[in-house]
Amino acid sequence: MSAVSVQSSVLRVLRVVVIVALVAATVLPFVYMLSLSFVRIDDLLRDPLRVLPQLDRITTETYRAVLASEEDGGYGFGRFMRNSAVVAVAASALTVALVVPASYALTRLRFAGRSQVSWLFLAVYLFPTIIIAVPVFVGFQVLGLGSSLVGLVIAYIALTVPVSVHMLRNYLAGIPESIDEAAVIDGASRFQIMTRITVPLAMPTIMSTALYSFMIAWNEFLFALLFLSAKQDLWTVSLGLTRLADGQEVSKTVLMAGSVLLTVPIVILYGVAERALTEGLTAGADKG
């Protein structure tokens, strides 16, 4: 057997080993978290290393306790999830509404400083989020938006627009301009070209942009803490989870149930839109 064949065989084995290790490192903690969310605290204390609970000992009391309102003796996660859903949907929808025309202008229109403007969208990521968070919050307080979901949505849009523009701009740059020119000859306006031709062609990347924005808005903690810490009725699910984690009397099974409620919506969205997301991210990485 030649050295090349040996090397290829070793690499194939290592590839499988690495994939299995990565899958195990990703899936097993989630499975254990999901398992703990369906067991009673006394069962956990009796057998803390058990990965899968006994079928006759499975309970949904932890989820009922997490989702129930505080008036009913729960932790109010139902309201927190509703707030997060409103913020995430609004932020992702508005981000897409802003990113599509901005990316189209950067790839199709000719104006002075176009290249500089394009790269300035990414300049915000030269600074850590913690540096810009406090000035943004103070500015929003002056405007009267500092303790509201509306202000939080605007802050999330500012976080997600730069990367989203970069993703979509790279994709649109790969669409031949001859398509636009043919549409102009047929009498189409710029708006008609963008909405009837560009948007359908770029739908995979637009989907990935919307999912990226939703994920950021659903999981983000720092801005949510600054904007909403004084108004518990407006808390998002990430803030609600910290309340469970810091609670001295909150059982770990309840904490795991809250963690599952934070994680599962994103997992479901990614599972449903996996193909569109993969195509969009790959296409956005083709051109620099």
Side-chain angles (χ1 to χ4, degrees):
M1 183 179 292
S2 65
V4 175
S5 300
V6 172
Q7 186 179 26
S8 299
S9 300
V10 171
L11 289 176
R12 279 197 298 270
V13 172
L14 288 177
R15 180 169 176 259
V16 173
V17 170
V18 170
I19 292 175
V20 171
L22 291 177
V23 170
T26 303
V27 173
L28 288 180
F30 180 77
V31 171
Y32 187 54
M33 177 180 71
L34 185 63
S35 172
L36 290 186
S37 68
F38 285 102
V39 302
R40 298 176 176 86
I41 185 61
D42 53 340
D43 292 336
L44 173 63
L45 295 175
R46 185 164 48 248
D47 190 6
L49 297 181
R50 187 182 184 88
V51 176
L52 298 177
Q54 298 176 356
L55 294 181
D56 59 340
R57 301 293 294 175
I58 290 178
T59 179
T60 58
E61 286 297 328
T62 51
Y63 287 95
R64 279 197 284 269
V66 169
L67 291 171
S69 64
E70 294 182 0
E71 292 79 8
D72 296 330
Y75 296 95
F77 252 63
R79 183 176 68 250
F80 300 155
M81 294 186 71
R82 183 175 65 248
N83 292 338
S84 288
V86 169
V87 170
V89 170
S92 57
L94 292 174
T95 295
V96 169
L98 293 172
V99 163
V100 170
S103 302
Y104 182 84
L106 289 172
T107 54
R108 292 296 190 263
L109 303 183
R110 303 291 183 266
F111 55 89
R114 185 182 69 161
S115 178
Q116 290 78 2
V117 170
S118 178
W119 289 108
L120 279 175
F121 275 104
L122 294 177
V124 65
Y125 286 94
L126 295 175
F127 308 95
T129 304
I130 188 65
I131 294 179
I132 64 175
V134 174
V136 167
F137 172 68
V138 172
F140 276 49
Q141 283 285 71
V142 174
L143 296 174
L145 299 173
S147 298
S148 68
L149 295 180
V150 174
L152 188 61
V153 168
I154 297 173
Y156 288 160
I157 293 172
L159 285 177
T160 56
V161 160
V163 169
S164 299
V165 167
H166 185 66
M167 290 168 56
L168 190 55
R169 177 183 66 87
N170 288 338
Y171 187 91
L172 295 184
I175 299 177
E177 293 192 35
S178 58
I179 298 177
D180 293 19
E181 294 168 357
V184 170
I185 294 175
D186 290 336
S189 65
R190 282 287 184 186
F191 182 76
Q192 290 173 324
I193 294 172
M194 183 179 69
T195 55
R196 298 182 182 181
I197 298 176
T198 305
V199 169
L201 289 175
M203 191 53 67
T205 303
I206 292 174
M207 267 299 276
S208 66
T209 298
L211 286 170
Y212 164 76
S213 304
F214 188 95
M215 179 190 68
I216 294 297
W218 181 270
N219 289 326
E220 202 277 334
F221 173 75
L222 178 59
F223 278 94
L225 178 64
L226 289 174
F227 278 74
L228 306 176
S229 60
K231 292 190 174 182
Q232 186 172 329
D233 58 322
L234 298 180
W235 277 13
T236 58
V237 68
S238 59
L239 289 179
L241 188 62
T242 61
R243 180 189 176 192
L244 295 182
D246 294 337
Q248 300 256 336
E249 300 179 357
V250 178
S251 69
K252 297 306 178 184
T253 56
V254 172
L255 175 60
M256 292 301 103
S259 301
V260 170
L261 292 175
L262 174 66
T263 306
V264 165
I266 299 297
V267 173
I268 293 174
L269 279 176
Y270 269 77
V272 170
E274 177 185 4
R275 182 174 180 180
L277 178 65
T278 304
E279 291 178 357
L281 291 176
T282 303
D286 285 343
K287 297 178 71 68

